[in-house]
Amino acid sequence: MLGLVLTLIVCMLCCGSLNVLIERVAYRPLRGAPKLAPLITAVGFSFILQNVGLLWRGGSTVGVSDLIHQGDTVFHIGGVPVQRADILSIGTMIPLVILLTWFVGRTRAGKAMRATAQDPEAARLMGINVDNTISLTFLLGGMMAGAAGLVYSLYETTIWYFQGFQAGLIAFTAAVMGGIGNIRGAVLGGLIIGVIQVISDNRIGPQWTAAIVFGYLIVIMVFRPQGLLGEETREAG
């Protein structure tokens, strides 16, 4: 158990540091550029990371040691088996969400992050170091991604270089569905997507799962554009 915790910390620090480096090299020079430029840069960097993974590990799947015996059933809830992998996912997600929510909502740095997201120029006038605040945001995002990657590899016990793209797409969908900028909304969106995926895989067919997930996202956006737990905002004029 201690080894897994240490591995989790190392993964979070490594991914967080990588994300900060990406922000410093690719995003900071585009701080004043049109909004489309960082979006294209993000797509470009995703392809860079994918191809680095392809060259490093090859295109085939790689097995991960089943350190937690992820398929073992621990108990049942209403006839539904709860396995060790499920407990790992929930047990990692809950404290990380609580810590992240506390940090963003209660700490001085978290308030600076929210102020920068709302109005960078006003935040700068109030004495906030916008560059450092954005780097901190990238650090936290990378750390969460590192934790998710470790949990996912232990859950599935197989990895390949293209997994991050699909997982990132689902994570973005969950954030939009729950409400951009709302941590609890992103968690709710992720849980909803997981339930939809399981039901679709078992009842309809896995070939329809992606279409059903994004169809549900479109329905949410049509009737509640700000997301399930998001708040209505307006663009600054």
Side-chain angles (χ1 to χ4, degrees), residues 173 176-179 192 196 213-229:
T173 304
V176 173
M177 185 180 296
I192 292 175
I196 293 174
V213 168
F214 286 100
Y216 182 77
L217 173 65
I218 292 173
V219 172
I220 293 294
M221 291 295 97
V222 168
F223 291 100
R224 191 170 173 81
Q226 68 270 28
L228 294 174
L229 299 183

Side-chain angles (χ1 to χ4, degrees), residues 130-216:
V130 172
D131 288 336
N132 289 346
T133 300
I134 294 176
S135 295
L136 176 62
T137 304
F138 272 78
L139 174 64
L140 293 176
M143 291 175 69
M144 296 300 109
L150 177 63
V151 171
Y152 187 88
S153 63
L154 292 175
Y155 193 100
E156 297 291 340
T157 66
T158 55
I159 57 174
W160 72 306
Y161 79 101
F162 204 65
Q163 272 178 333
F165 180 81
Q166 182 180 5
L169 186 61
I170 293 297
F172 179 74
T173 304
V176 173
M177 185 180 296
I180 293 293
N182 191 306
I183 298 174
R184 289 170 292 183
V187 174
L188 176 62
L191 292 175
I192 292 175
I193 290 176
V195 171
I196 293 174
Q197 287 179 320
V198 171
I199 294 176
S200 176
D201 288 346
N202 294 331
R203 302 294 178 86
I204 301 175
Q207 68 273 16
W208 290 98
T209 299
I212 293 173
V213 168
F214 286 100
Y216 182 77

